[in-house]
C-alpha cells in the first residue's frame, strides 16, 4: 500500500528567500518538464522547507518527486539557519540577497545568545545547588568579516547592505533588488529622509542616481567644511569605496570576478539575440 502524506506550506518559509524572477521560474518549469524532478524536496515533519517552486510546478504538471526528512531540526530557527546556509551556496542568489541572508543569520544567533544568557541568569538565581546541569554551549556570533566571507562578499559591501537593511524605505529596497540602483549607491541614498527615498524610487534610475550624488556630496561637505571633496563627486557616479577601505581583499576579488562573469554572460546573450534578429531580418527580406 502506498501511503501519501499531505505536505504543509508555511508562508513564512515560502517567502523567506526572494522569489525567482519570471525568467528563472520559466526555466525551472522547462527543466522539470524535460528532465523530471531530480532533487528531493526537504521536509521537517510535514512542513516543506526547501523546494517550494519545484513542489508547485510538479503539482501543476503531475510530475513525480521525492522527499527527504531533515531530522536535525529542533526549532524554526534551525530551519531558518539551514535555509540561509543552503541558499548562500547557490550561484543564482544576488549579492544583495546574500548580504540580507548573512544579516538574518547574525540576528538569529544574537537572539539565541540573549536567550541563553537569560536562561543562565535565571538558573543562577533559582538553582544554588553545587551540582547543577551542564552548562550549555556558547553561541558563536561571527564578526562582519567572517559573515561577509561566508556570503562571498567584501566586508564593505556587507556593511552597505546592513545600512540599507536598517534605514532604507521599502521602495528603495525593491529598487536594489530589481537592479535599478547599485548596493553602493543605495547605501548612500538610505541616509536620506524616507520621503526623498520614496520619491526618487518612484521616478526611477536617474532620480535615484541623482539622490545618491546629493547624499555623497552632503557627506563629503560634513567631513570637509570647505567642500573640496564634494566637488570631486561626478554627477550620477556610483563610486566604489577607496581601496584602502576594503577590509577583505579576497572576498572583494571574488565579488568582482562574479560581476565580470555575469556581465560576460549578459553580453554573450545579447550577441545571440542580435545574431538571431539579423538572420530573421535577412530571411524576411528574402521572402519579399
Amino acid at each position: 500500500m502506498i501511503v501519501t502524506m499531505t505536505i504543509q506550506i508555511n508562508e513564512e518559509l515560502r517567502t523567506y528567500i526572494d522569489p525567482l524572477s519570471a525568467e528563472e521560474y520559466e526555466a525551472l518549469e522547462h527543466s522539470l518538464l524535460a528532465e523530471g524532478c531530480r532533487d528531493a524536496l526537504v521536509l521537517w515533519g510535514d512542513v516543506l522547507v526547501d523546494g517550494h517552486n519545484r513542489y508547485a510546478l510538479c503539482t501543476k504538471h503531475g510530475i513525480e518527486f521525492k522527499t527527504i526528512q531533515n531530522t536535525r531540526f529542533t526549532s524554526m530557527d534551525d530551519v531558518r539557519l539551514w535555509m540561509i546556509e543552503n541558499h548562500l551556496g547557490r550561484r543564482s542568489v544576488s549579492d544583495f540577497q546574500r548580504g540580507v541572508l548573512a544579516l538574518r543569520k547574525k540576528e538569529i544567533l544574537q537572539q539565541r545568545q540573549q536567550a541563553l544568557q537569560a536562561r543562565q541568569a535565571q538558573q543562577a538565581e533559582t538553582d544554588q545547588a553545587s551540582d547543577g546541569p551542564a552548562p550549555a554551549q556558547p553561541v558563536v556570533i561571527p564578526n562582519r568579516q567572517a559573515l561577509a566571507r561566508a556570503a562571498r562578499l567584501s566586508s564593505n559591501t556587507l556593511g552597505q547592505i546592513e545600512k540599507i537593511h536598517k534605514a532604507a524605505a521599502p521602495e528603495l529596497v525593491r529598487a536594489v533588488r530589481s537592479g535599478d540602483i547599485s548596493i553602493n549607491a543605495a547605501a548612500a541614498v538610505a541616509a536620506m529622509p524616507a520621503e526623498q527615498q520614496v520619491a526618487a524610487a518612484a521616478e526611477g534610475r536617474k532620480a535615484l542616481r541623482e539622490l545618491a550624488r546629493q547624499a555623497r556630496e552632503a557627506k563629503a561637505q560634513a567631513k570637509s567644511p570647505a567642500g573640496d571633496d564634494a566637488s570631486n563627486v561626478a554627477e550620477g557616479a556610483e563610486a566604489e569605496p577607496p581601496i584602502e577601505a576594503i577590509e577583505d581583499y579576497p572576498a572583494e576579488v571574488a565579488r568582482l570576478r562574479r560581476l565580470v562573469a555575469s556581465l560576460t554572460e549578459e553580453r554573450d546573450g545579447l550577441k545571440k539575440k542580435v545574431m538571431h534578429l539579423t538572420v530573421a531580418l535577412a530571411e524576411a527580406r528574402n521572402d519579399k
Side-chain angles (χ1 to χ4, degrees):
M1 181 176 66
I2 299 176
V3 179
T4 60
M5 68 177 297
T6 301
I7 294 179
Q8 301 293 332
I9 304 298
N10 181 295
E11 283 301 309
E12 180 199 346
L13 298 182
R14 187 181 69 81
T15 60
Y16 198 65
I17 307 297
D18 279 354
L20 298 178
S21 66
E23 293 79 8
E24 290 170 334
Y25 193 83
E26 184 179 358
L28 176 60
E29 186 171 25
H30 288 164
S31 174
L32 290 172
L33 288 170
E35 305 175 15
C37 187
R38 294 178 297 178
D39 298 325
L41 310 184
V42 179
L43 300 177
W44 179 37
D46 61 354
V47 176
L48 183 59
V49 173
D50 184 60
H52 289 85
N53 293 306
R54 282 176 285 139
Y55 175 68
L57 288 169
C58 287
T59 303
K60 173 183 176 181
H61 295 291
I63 301 172
E64 293 185 0
F65 59 86
K66 296 179 181 179
T67 63
I68 186 173
Q69 286 284 341
N70 190 319
T71 57
R72 293 175 296 173
F73 298 147
T74 60
S75 68
M76 282 293 288
D77 275 349
D78 286 345
V79 174
R80 295 185 189 101
L81 287 171
W82 183 90
M83 291 179 70
I84 289 170
E85 296 295 342
N86 188 42
H87 281 79
L88 283 177
R90 295 183 175 177
R91 293 181 57 187
S92 59
V93 180
S94 69
D95 284 356
F96 181 74
Q97 178 65 0
R98 278 200 299 274
V100 170
L101 291 174
L103 294 175
R104 286 179 181 173
K105 176 180 178 179
K106 179 181 177 182
E107 290 172 359
I108 292 172
L109 294 177
Q110 286 176 332
Q111 291 170 359
R112 281 192 169 182
Q113 183 184 60
Q114 293 168 0
L116 175 61
Q117 291 172 344
R119 288 197 302 270
Q120 290 174 337
Q122 184 179 17
Q123 184 69 25
E125 292 178 358
T126 59
D127 186 6
Q128 299 297 328
S130 58
D131 295 329
Q137 291 293 326
V139 178
V140 178
I141 300 177
N143 59 27
R144 178 185 291 180
Q145 187 167 338
L147 280 172
R149 187 177 295 112
R152 291 178 291 158
L153 300 169
S154 70
S155 296
N156 289 81
T157 299
L158 183 59
Q160 291 168 347
I161 294 172
E162 189 167 16
K163 290 179 183 178
I164 298 168
H165 189 59
K166 290 180 178 179
E171 291 80 0
L172 178 59
V173 174
R174 285 196 289 270
V176 180
R177 293 186 190 278
S178 66
D180 286 340
I181 185 172
S182 71
I183 293 171
N184 183 40
V189 172
M192 304 296 278
E195 57 270 17
Q196 293 187 34
Q197 299 180 36
V198 174
E203 293 185 34
R205 295 187 180 188
K206 186 175 180 180
L208 286 168
R209 287 197 297 266
E210 173 61 20
L211 188 57
R213 183 188 67 81
Q214 294 176 13
R216 292 192 182 102
E217 284 187 350
K219 183 177 180 180
Q221 288 174 354
K223 290 183 178 180
S224 174
D228 293 337
D229 292 338
S231 62
N232 292 327
V233 180
E235 182 174 354
E238 297 184 0
E240 293 294 331
I243 293 298
E244 59 271 15
I246 296 176
E247 301 173 15
D248 191 346
Y249 287 99
E252 180 66 11
V253 169
R255 183 184 73 85
L256 292 174
R257 284 176 175 169
R258 289 196 307 275
L259 178 60
V260 170
S262 176
L263 292 173
T264 301
E265 184 177 355
E266 183 179 355
R267 180 204 64 190
D268 293 342
L270 290 172
K271 283 184 176 180
K272 290 181 180 179
K273 287 182 179 180
V274 170
M275 181 182 67
H276 292 159
L277 288 172
T278 302
V279 172
L281 182 59
E283 291 176 349
R285 287 175 177 171
N286 292 332
D287 290 340
K288 291 181 180 180

